[in-house]
Amino acid sequence: MTTQRKSMLTSAIVNRAVKDSFLKLNPLTMMRNPVMFVVEVGTLVVLLMTIFPGYFGTEGRVGFNLTVFLILLFTVLFANFAEALAEGRGKAQADSLKKSKQDITANKVTGTAIKQVSSSELRKGDIVLVSEGEMIPGDGEIIEGLASVDESAITGESAPVIKEAGGDFSSVTGGTRVVSDQIKVRIMSDPGESFIDRMISLVEGAKRQKTPNELALNTLLTSLTLIFLIVVVTLAPIAKYVGVELDIPVLIALLVCLIPTTIGGLLSAIGIAGMDRVTQFNVLAMSGKAVEAAGDINTMILDKTGTVTYGNRMASDFLPVKGTSIEELGQWAALSSAKDETPEGRSVLELMKTRQLSFPSQLAENAAVIPFTAETRMSGLDLPDGRKVRKGAVDAVKKWVASQGGTVPSDLDSTGEGVAVLGGTPLAVAVDNRIYGIIYLKDTVKPGMQERFEQLRRMGIKTIMCTGDNPLTAATIAREAGVDDFVAESKPEDKIALIRREQAAGSLVAMTGDGTNDAPALAQADVGLAMNSGTVAAKEAANMIDLDSDPSKIIEVVAIGKQLLMTRGALTTFSIANDIAKYFAIIPAMFMLAIPQMDTLNIMKLGSPSSAILSALIFNAVIIPLLIPLAMRGVAYKPMSASKLLSKNLLIYGLGGVIAPFIGIKLIDLLVHVWI
Amino acid sequence: MDILQMIIVIGVLVLLVKPLGTYVYHVYSDEPNRTDRIFGGTERFIYRIIGLKSRDGMTWKKYALSFLLTNIALVAISYLLLRLQGALPGNPNKIGAMEETLSFNTVISFITNTNLQHYSGETGLSYFSQMAVIMMMMFTSAATGFSVAIAFIRGITSRGSTIGNFFSDFVKSHTRIFLPLALLITLVLVGLHVPQTLQPTVTATTLEGATQSIAIGPVASLESIKHLGTNGGGFFGVNSAHPFENPNPLTNVIEILSMWALPASLPYVYGRFAGNRKQGWVVFSAMMTLFLVFLATVYTAEVNGNPVLNNLGVDASQGSMEGKEVRFGMAQSALFTAVTTAATTGTVNNMHDTLTPLGGMVPLAEMMLNVVFGGKGVGLVNMLMYAILGVFIAGLMVGRTPEFLGRKIEPREMKLIAIAILVHPFIILAPTAIAFLTDLGQGAITNPGFHGISQVLYEYTSSAANNGSGFEGLADNTPFWNITTGLVMLFGRYISMIAMLAVAGSLVRKQPVPETMGTFRTDNVLFAGILVGTVVIVGALTFLPAVVLGPIAEHLTIR
């Protein structure tokens, strides 16, 4: 991840957010947020009463009413500011993306001729030629050639990546630059539907739809608002019966304090900031729903190679057969790998170094290289003196030796199987008709994976590893990495069957994938994370794309999803718990003039009725900006069991929500009471 | 001694929960069991008569429609009987037809299990009406409430598309629960000198030579179902304070337990259905916690007596005995008051109007919450609604979208719950405000000032919570009160019942999410705390401003 996307709050973003918070006062925009809309209507009513005191008969209360109006106005502005600020980062990022979307001249291949057209005229199926230094005009797949492509505009990663025709690394994205060579690309998207277009609209939040959980929470907040509206509206006639006349601004103040303005004002900011945290993590979520679903995951399906292990098999030991020394075996193993540029080959030479073994490297100088092929399943050297050195799959080497009249050492098979049981791959080493022993290739589990699976287990998430390996190998890696379950010898179809099975049992399933044959499974999974390096089909099927193409990131995405939901719950609880203190501030204040004995309920000993009401109102307003950092950053999350998490959060946000306003209102009152 | 009396009654109740709950669970679990042999025959006979061919499960819509139509039919029949009672047999005291708005109010009052009585039984109803209308509805309304609660439990604990068969539940509620228990309690009460006769009013000559009419009738049978069905409508105007309804402390305890035991055992039934008894005990302990707070409040307030009288030098050692029966004393009166409004029965053994202000606030608050055990089924359903609400708010804090018993709480459920939580304060506060805005409403208040607010608030709260106890002191037999309270009772019962059945219908279709380490648990002490917190903050604070102007202001001003 680069710093480009990390740019936090710049003054430009803040300035824009301030401006936006005024623009958002437009009642049509406000209506989407019923809680804050009620506050805005209340603000207008108090404004009218302040401007035309004669009409409402409120001449004596202009100062108080003006103050109430200003506090209410700021309550609305603070809520708007929170939302605008959360949107700001996305907008700034969208702007920089738009720059890479400028019109590009494309070399369209029509028949045999090449025509220069604007990229906006390209349609699905068109073929273009892109040369060194040119921008790729649209999303597509390479149908010819190989090139290194600078994708920093999207991924923020400055090192170019290699893309080639055929296979899982053939997809290219419009707006990225070819830094070497030339490729022929078949365009796969129409204008306006390209990856960058989607990315812009996602980070900008233009098409942000409320998630089911947000909708449900909104329903709750709206009904609480309605309940308190009923409470406040019916209070006036009841109070009048016992001779208590309640001013409208006081009733509005009570209403605004009771309705859940804190969460109402911060709700959309929490959602946007949650999406933004995913984006900063260089993962592109197609919807907020996907991020929330990530928090709900019960089962995670992981590919062994690339996610759990590095995938490269590294030589970790030499196991000579009876009658051969380890030096002898090492010498021939090293010779067979001397000109082998594969990671396996290099790891053999590495192992020689760490074991401080040496070999006659001059022998390899004029030797003929025999590369690995799928048929022979061996590689090695033909030395100038006629000796043939080979290493390869055990059965292939056995056959090769036998064909030259050699005998297979009796302990070879048992040694080979021993390696397989441990999850390794045995490579036999032979020279002409003699087998010297076995190189133990080990698939190494990425460091730290064990702890992470342990964390997932504590979060209540089951991990299932999928691998094409045989059951023995799979079991060993599974044990070593600490996954809960594994599927060996799995084919792509198995993955989708596995997802369906888990889903039928009620689980929500997450998986990662990059190949075209992963696409159906990615679509079936509740959270499908596709690698940006993967095929277009995989990326379209998934609901998240990892721009860094690191499959193990799915684990962090889950944590971000949980954090988003927790933040929402914590602030809702806090907001609702605040009501207790506000009641104790406002209720006695409202009735104290007519019923002096009400002072008994004034347990905070607030200075005067007016200062009590204003203090509660001010607390209600300033708590919003005070909580903006929390809403943007999310509440701290460490993997632990639900019960512990709940006790902890309930203590902080529930009990804290009950106590904090008592202290806050009292402190504000000490200041306010100086004037009234 | 007072406290020991209360502890013993509560102890007996707690001991009854498990056996009674187990029995109720077997009645509705629809699995064959031993009791089938006793009741199966009668039930099959009833099913044949009513033409019930299939006892398959119903979708929530069908279930709701079935119970609504059944109730509508009962309302129509009862209304006709009341209007025609003068011409019908079983009327030795020659009582005439009931007035239209009063008939409307009475019928709605009894079908909704409220039993708000704007009439006086001894002069307003014939024996036939007492039995064919009042007692019949006492059975059917209780059975309806019980059936709906069971259907709701099935919805949130099972998977499929149906929540049981209303007619089968309704019949079984009668044959296996209310009729046998009512029979038993009736016989016990008769043994304890509660009258059960069809003889007309007795005329006696007093020692001074004056004539006195002593009303009697089939009291014991009504008394038993009145409590068992958490109905509360008395045979006599003064209800269970009357020596024929509730002659001694033993009958008082029997009445307390018979109205309390079934609602208190329902959480256990729910735990059985959920396959995790702890779930039920958590709900039970949340209810009991709230109950004990309320009981302590009313008892302390009454024991401390009325400050105004105390200041006049009246002996305060007895507490405030105004409006209480000497044969019950302080503990039995306070306990009765706390239980009758907790279980929303509405039967009274003392005048709630003469409770001290804080003492009077307790029955008011219990009805406002309507979750502290609650009436037939309604209390549990409401408490589970708060449980879902609590899960929704606090559940997010474990980093998962909220799920209750493994079922996700989504916008549809929240909308339906929103309706239910909105209706209750609306139908209490809006009519109260209207009553104070109009002369029709204000005119009925006999005790102006803060107490007047309590009187009006109590009347509508009692109607909305389907409790039916009266603060009395309100001249409420007028078309204004008959119609408004009638409507409040109607909305109070059916809107939330239908909304909660819809919630059950929606949850029953959901694939339960398996329980893991990451699951929000609803079967531990912490959740009982969350539940109480949700009830207090969402349910109770709503009514605080109104309560402050009523009982609290009264309390503060008479100190």
Side-chain angles (χ1 to χ4, degrees):
Chain A
M1 195 173 14
T2 59
T3 49
Q4 183 196 345
R5 208 151 270 141
K6 267 192 161 173
S7 60
M8 292 295 281
L9 300 176
T10 63
S11 60
I13 292 179
V14 175
N15 289 340
R16 185 145 116 184
V18 171
K19 203 180 114 206
D20 280 351
S21 33
F22 282 91
L23 292 178
K24 282 171 187 278
L25 286 176
N26 179 355
L28 291 176
T29 328
M30 289 299 287
M31 232 146 27
R32 282 184 309 176
N33 184 344
V35 182
M36 294 319 290
F37 183 67
V38 168
V39 182
E40 188 174 42
V41 172
T43 315
L44 279 178
V45 173
V46 181
L47 176 66
L48 290 176
M49 299 184 88
T50 315
I51 303 177
F52 309 109
Y55 184 79
F56 292 95
T58 51
E59 286 92 344
R61 308 276 287 165
V62 172
F64 178 79
N65 290 352
L66 180 68
T67 320
V68 171
F69 160 73
L70 286 175
I71 303 172
L72 291 179
L73 178 66
F74 272 98
T75 312
V76 183
L77 286 176
F78 286 150
N80 288 349
F81 179 71
E83 190 182 69
L85 199 61
E87 285 168 351
R89 242 179 337 201
K91 278 190 181 151
Q93 198 182 331
D95 287 347
S96 78
L97 278 172
K98 278 177 191 157
K99 278 183 204 133
S100 53
K101 218 198 125 212
Q102 76 255 114
D103 212 27
I104 304 163
T105 315
N107 304 313
K108 186 176 164 187
V109 183
T110 44
T112 50
I114 287 177
K115 208 171 108 192
Q116 303 249 316
V117 297
S118 154
S119 62
S120 59
E121 289 167 35
L122 290 174
R123 292 291 178 273
K124 221 182 244 182
D126 287 349
I127 290 166
V128 292
L129 197 67
V130 192
S131 310
E132 192 173 319
E134 288 177 353
M135 286 263 216
I136 299 172
D139 297 354
E141 269 182 335
I142 303 177
I143 49 172
E144 203 180 296
L146 173 152
S148 54
V149 180
D150 172 10
E151 293 196 323
S152 59
I154 300 168
T155 63
E157 171 63 54
S158 49
V161 286
I162 305 288
K163 298 274 182 177
E164 61 181 319
D168 286 346
F169 295 95
S170 60
S171 85
V172 288
T173 311
T176 57
R177 187 180 299 276
V178 172
V179 277
S180 73
D181 304 292
Q182 175 177 296
I183 45 175
K184 213 180 250 182
V185 175
R186 182 186 289 121
I187 298 295
M188 302 291 277
S189 72
D190 285 332
E193 295 166 8
S194 71
F195 187 67
I196 285 211
D197 287 316
R198 275 205 289 167
M199 198 164 158
I200 290 172
S201 77
L202 279 170
V203 294
E204 210 171 26
K207 278 196 205 146
R208 206 177 92 83
Q209 280 182 330
K210 288 202 171 107
T211 63
N213 180 255
E214 263 181 298
L215 284 176
L217 189 54
N218 235 325
T219 311
L220 174 69
L221 298 181
T222 309
S223 55
L224 286 178
T225 307
L226 281 173
I227 288 177
F228 289 121
L229 202 59
I230 296 168
V231 169
V232 171
V233 168
T234 55
L235 190 58
I238 299 177
K240 198 169 175 207
Y241 174 72
V242 287
V244 181
E245 293 285 343
L246 296 172
D247 289 337
I248 289 176
V250 171
L251 286 172
I252 290 175
L254 175 67
L255 176 65
V256 170
C257 280
L258 295 183
I259 62 176
T261 45
T262 312
I263 180 67
L266 294 172
L267 185 59
S268 66
I270 295 169
I272 298 166
M275 287 277 280
D276 197 44
R277 275 200 298 282
V278 176
T279 315
Q280 280 175 62
F281 204 64
N282 247 2
V283 172
L284 206 57
M286 295 301 152
S287 67
K289 202 176 159 182
V291 181
E292 263 174 27
D296 277 351
I297 288 305
N298 309 83
T299 305
M300 196 178 272
I301 295 176
L302 301 159
D303 275 327
K304 188 198 77 174
T305 310
T307 311
V308 181
T309 65
Y310 282 115
N312 315 341
R313 292 152 186 276
M314 315 275 224
S316 73
D317 207 354
F318 295 122
L319 306 169
V321 292
K322 255 188 211 122
T324 313
S325 70
I326 197 158
E327 287 78 15
E328 231 178 327
L329 169 63
Q331 176 184 324
W332 291 116
L335 260 180
S336 71
S337 310
K339 291 197 172 171
D340 184 352
E341 286 306 310
T342 63
E344 288 91 343
R346 266 176 290 172
S347 75
V348 171
L349 300 183
E350 287 288 319
L351 184 65
M352 290 295 285
K353 257 185 228 157
T354 50
R355 292 285 169 91
Q356 295 176 333
L357 297 172
S358 59
F359 71 100
S361 53
Q362 70 282 356
L363 276 179
E365 256 161 43
N366 293 314
V369 179
I370 309 296
F372 178 88
T373 67
E375 278 156 68
T376 61
R377 293 193 293 146
M378 292 186 300
S379 63
L381 297 177
D382 283 352
L383 301 184
D385 59 12
R387 280 184 292 182
K388 291 184 176 124
V389 189
R390 292 291 185 276
K391 70 167 191 291
V394 176
D395 52 340
V397 173
K398 262 158 69 178
K399 222 179 272 168
W400 181 72
V401 169
S403 69
Q404 298 176 90
T407 51
V408 177
S410 56
D411 56 341
L412 182 77
D413 278 341
S414 60
T415 313
E417 271 159 30
V419 168
V421 168
L422 292 173
T425 307
L427 283 188
V429 179
V431 181
D432 294 336
N433 57 4
R434 180 169 171 202
I435 295 179
Y436 284 82
I438 278 177
I439 309 174
Y440 178 1
L441 288 186
K442 202 169 162 185
D443 197 358
T444 24
V445 173
K446 287 186 180 176
M449 287 313 275
Q450 221 172 346
E451 289 82 59
R452 292 170 80 179
F453 289 134
E454 180 52 40
Q455 282 178 1
L456 285 174
R457 202 166 302 123
R458 259 181 285 149
M459 289 151 78
I461 296 172
K462 182 165 102 177
T463 42
I464 303 178
M465 183 183 82
C466 280
T467 169
D469 290 344
N470 62 58
L472 277 179
T473 315
T476 311
I477 295 283
R479 200 174 331 113
E480 205 171 311
V483 293
D484 297 318
D485 203 354
F486 65 90
V487 179
E489 289 167 351
S490 85
K491 295 178 285 296
E493 313 82 88
D494 293 345
K495 239 186 233 173
I496 192 159
L498 179 63
I499 295 174
R500 289 216 176 102
R501 199 183 68 211
E502 289 289 322
Q503 284 174 336
S507 296
L508 267 77
V509 184
M511 74 160 280
T512 58
D514 52 10
T516 301
N517 52 20
D518 281 334
L522 282 169
Q524 177 73 32
D526 300 281
V527 175
L529 178 66
M531 302 298 107
N532 188 45
S533 58
T535 59
V536 175
K539 282 198 264 184
E540 267 174 9
N543 48 15
M544 284 192 205
I545 296 170
D546 178 19
L547 299 173
D548 296 337
S549 305
D550 170 8
S552 61
K553 261 209 231 164
I554 184 95
I555 299 171
E556 275 81 10
V557 172
V558 168
I560 294 175
K562 284 197 178 295
Q563 204 188 19
L564 166 70
L565 293 169
M566 275 168 50
T567 310
R568 206 178 276 156
L571 290 180
T572 307
T573 309
F574 185 83
S575 184
I576 294 175
N578 273 195
D579 274 6
I580 298 178
K582 292 177 191 165
Y583 264 119
F584 277 102
I586 297 190
I587 295 274
M590 284 171 94
F591 304 137
M592 211 133 65
L593 286 180
I595 315 164
Q597 292 92 332
M598 282 286 169
D599 198 38
T600 317
L601 295 183
N602 181 10
I603 54 172
M604 284 179 267
K605 299 282 161 241
L606 303 178
S608 71
S610 298
S611 86
I613 292 168
L614 290 181
S615 304
L617 214 47
I618 291 172
F619 177 84
N620 193 54
V622 295
I623 196 73
I624 297 176
L626 287 180
L627 289 174
I628 288 179
L630 183 69
M632 303 277 276
R633 202 180 53 228
V635 303
Y637 174 63
K638 272 199 211 111
M640 58 174 97
S641 77
S643 303
K644 271 193 209 157
L645 209 54
L646 183 66
S647 320
K648 186 175 143 246
N649 285 331
L650 212 52
L651 197 68
I652 302 175
Y653 300 101
L655 199 60
V658 173
I659 296 168
F662 276 104
I663 301 169
I665 293 173
K666 178 69 194 169
L667 290 178
I668 296 170
D669 179 72
L670 290 176
L671 282 176
V672 174
H673 186 47
V674 175
W675 287 285
I676 43 171
Chain B
M1 269 310 282
D2 274 4
I3 294 180
L4 189 65
Q5 281 186 48
M6 293 190 277
I7 290 176
I8 290 174
V9 177
I10 295 170
V12 172
L13 173 93
V14 174
L15 291 178
L16 278 174
V17 165
K18 198 174 160 181
L20 197 58
T22 310
Y23 177 75
V24 172
Y25 169 72
H26 286 305
V27 169
Y28 297 105
S29 68
D30 292 333
E31 279 155 18
N33 62 69
R34 272 176 297 169
T35 50
D36 288 345
R37 250 183 292 159
I38 309 169
F39 303 108
T42 325
E43 282 161 8
R44 276 191 297 278
F45 177 68
I46 296 172
Y47 296 147
R48 207 168 320 134
I49 291 183
I50 61 174
L52 183 67
K53 293 196 183 80
S54 147
R55 287 196 284 144
D56 294 345
M58 299 171 165
T59 61
W60 80 265
K61 281 184 188 152
K62 205 169 166 198
Y63 201 101
L65 197 67
S66 305
F67 99 78
L68 277 178
L69 287 177
T70 309
N71 281 4
I72 289 170
L74 294 173
V75 163
I77 295 167
S78 304
Y79 184 81
L80 282 177
L81 290 181
L82 286 184
R83 299 283 297 141
L84 300 173
Q85 66 175 357
L88 290 170
N91 190 4
N93 294 328
K94 303 278 170 276
I95 292 165
M98 198 183 254
E99 183 263 332
E100 288 107 329
T101 62
L102 185 57
S103 299
F104 163 79
N105 187 278
T106 304
V107 170
I108 297 302
S109 168
F110 280 85
I111 196 69
T112 57
N113 200 253
T114 312
N115 300 21
L116 189 75
Q117 292 166 296
H118 286 176
Y119 65 92
S120 203
E122 48 280 58
T123 54
L125 290 174
S126 68
Y127 288 170
F128 181 73
S129 299
Q130 287 276 23
M131 292 190 289
V133 177
I134 302 302
M135 274 179 57
M136 179 275 283
M137 295 234 257
M138 282 184 167
F139 276 101
T140 52
S141 66
T144 303
F146 228 62
S147 304
V148 169
I150 296 293
F152 180 77
I153 293 174
R154 286 197 195 107
I156 61 174
T157 55
S158 63
R159 178 155 154 66
S161 58
T162 59
I163 55 175
N165 184 300
F166 171 71
F167 296 110
S168 143
D169 289 346
F170 189 65
V171 169
K172 283 208 253 175
S173 304
H174 286 99
T175 54
R176 299 195 185 199
I177 295 176
F178 294 115
L179 284 170
L181 283 177
L183 187 65
L184 183 75
I185 305 277
T186 305
L187 293 177
V188 173
L189 289 177
V190 169
L192 292 166
H193 307 299
V194 176
Q196 175 73 10
T197 175
L198 289 176
Q199 296 297 313
T201 302
V202 175
T203 311
T205 312
T206 64
L207 286 175
E208 288 97 25
T211 44
Q212 187 188 358
S213 301
I214 301 173
I216 51 170
V219 183
S221 55
L222 183 134
E223 208 59 23
S224 60
I225 187 61
K226 172 178 111 182
H227 292 106
L228 280 171
T230 63
N231 292 289
F235 194 90
F236 304 106
V238 294
N239 215 304
S240 279
H242 194 288
F244 285 171
E245 287 206 15
N246 192 4
N248 55 50
L250 187 56
T251 55
N252 197 53
V253 169
I254 290 174
E255 290 182 6
I256 288 177
L257 288 174
S258 53
M259 66 174 142
W260 201 6
L262 280 171
S265 67
L266 268 183
Y268 182 82
V269 176
Y270 152 70
R272 286 296 298 264
F273 270 101
N276 178 356
R277 282 167 224 205
K278 273 201 213 152
Q279 299 275 9
W281 286 116
V282 161
V283 172
F284 179 85
S285 46
M287 289 175 167
M288 191 49 109
T289 308
L290 288 166
F291 176 81
L292 291 177
V293 171
F294 284 123
L295 178 63
T297 312
V298 62
Y299 178 71
T300 322
E302 295 309 305
V303 163
N304 287 335
N306 184 335
V308 178
L309 289 176
N310 294 352
N311 292 341
L312 286 174
V314 177
D315 174 23
S317 65
Q318 293 289 310
S320 172
M321 280 303 287
E322 186 194 352
K324 295 189 181 63
E325 297 292 307
V326 179
R327 67 183 186 280
F328 302 133
M330 202 49 80
Q332 295 265 342
S333 299
L335 188 59
F336 203 97
T337 294
V339 173
T340 188
T341 43
T344 68
T345 310
T347 170
V348 290
N349 77 349
N350 64 82
M351 285 295 272
H352 288 181
D353 195 33
T354 57
L355 291 169
T356 58
L358 289 186
M361 183 182 75
V362 165
L364 190 59
E366 282 186 308
M367 294 187 296
M368 283 168 169
L369 296 185
N370 203 6
V371 297
V372 187
F373 298 107
K376 277 287 118 355
V378 176
L380 178 75
V381 173
N382 280 344
M383 196 50 137
L384 290 176
M385 178 190 83
Y386 277 106
I388 295 177
L389 213 54
V391 163
F392 185 80
I393 297 168
L396 276 172
M397 285 195 289
V398 305
R400 295 175 63 86
T401 56
E403 54 210 39
F404 184 65
L405 299 179
R407 288 148 182 89
K408 290 238 172 278
I409 310 300
E410 284 167 311
R412 182 178 156 77
E413 289 80 47
M414 282 315 290
K415 273 183 203 145
L416 292 164
I417 289 176
I419 294 173
I421 58 168
L422 262 172
V423 159
H424 194 59
F426 183 76
I427 61 174
I428 291 174
L429 294 174
T432 303
I434 292 169
F436 284 116
L437 284 173
T438 56
D439 289 338
L440 282 174
Q442 282 198 23
I445 299 167
T446 57
N447 211 335
F450 305 121
H451 197 77
I453 291 183
S454 303
Q455 287 186 335
V456 175
L457 204 53
Y458 195 101
E459 184 76 2
Y460 286 115
T461 309
S462 178
S463 305
N466 298 138
N467 177 287
S469 68
F471 219 34
E472 303 310 334
L474 197 66
D476 52 16
N477 185 12
T478 64
F480 174 84
W481 290 96
N482 284 340
I483 293 169
T484 52
T485 53
L487 291 174
V488 168
M489 288 187 277
L490 210 53
F491 297 141
R493 181 149 173 108
Y494 293 107
I495 294 181
S496 65
M497 268 191 174
I498 295 169
M500 296 319 283
L501 275 182
V503 170
S506 159
L507 289 179
V508 78
R509 291 170 179 278
K510 294 194 181 184
Q511 165 72 49
V513 180
E515 191 175 294
T516 65
M517 286 282 284
T519 308
F520 178 90
R521 300 191 72 89
T522 52
D523 60 353
N524 53 21
V525 181
L526 188 60
F527 186 68
I530 291 176
L531 196 48
V532 172
T534 312
V535 169
V536 169
I537 294 184
V538 180
L541 285 186
T542 312
F543 296 103
L544 189 67
V547 170
V548 163
L549 279 177
I552 293 182
E554 191 186 355
H555 169 76
L556 292 173
T557 48
I558 64 167
R559 282 194 308 166

